[in-house]
Amino acid sequence: MSSAPPEPKPVHLIVADVWKNKEDEPRQVHLLLMSDDTDNLVNIALQLLANEGYDEAELLEIGTLTEQPDEEPHLSAYKNALTGQAALIEFNE
């Protein structure tokens, strides 16, 4: 009796505008993480962003990556997320 290999856990992608200061212009970030607790995914994401020093965050999109990204910086972030670490990509504009 052969068993199929376990399916990998999904990697969630959260796109957000964040502020370190309310007076600053927002910066867009992409947060990639694995979590079985999808009911609390928003709270987990907000806590991770707060831990990175962001005072405010507006979550714009939440999705699940169905395949490995082809290009950087998302490829490295995806691989980090697969190890159980949250990966944060910050964009300048």
Side-chain angles (χ1 to χ4, degrees):
M1 179 181 210
S2 68
S3 61
E7 293 213 11
K9 292 183 181 181
V11 173
H12 303 287
L13 169 64
I14 299 166
V15 178
D17 282 341
V18 294
W19 294 261
K20 288 202 175 187
N21 263 319
K22 293 179 184 178
E23 294 82 32
D24 293 342
E25 289 293 316
R27 169 178 276 185
Q28 189 170 96
V29 297
H30 290 182
L31 180 63
L32 287 82
L33 68 145
M34 285 193 330
S35 176
D36 293 331
D37 190 0
T38 55
D39 291 338
N40 289 313
L41 192 57
V42 168
N43 291 333
I44 293 167
L46 292 174
Q47 185 60 52
L48 288 168
L49 292 170
N51 291 347
E52 291 295 321
Y54 294 109
D55 288 338
E56 286 193 40
E58 180 181 338
L59 303 184
L60 304 173
E61 292 183 52
I62 299 175
T64 303
L65 297 177
T66 57
E67 57 187 46
Q68 179 175 296
D70 292 329
E71 296 181 13
E72 295 295 346
H74 291 90
L75 176 60
S76 295
Y78 179 83
K79 289 179 179 179
N80 278 345
L82 288 176
T83 69
Q85 300 177 21
L88 182 67
I89 302 170
E90 299 175 318
F91 295 95
N92 289 331
E93 295 188 31

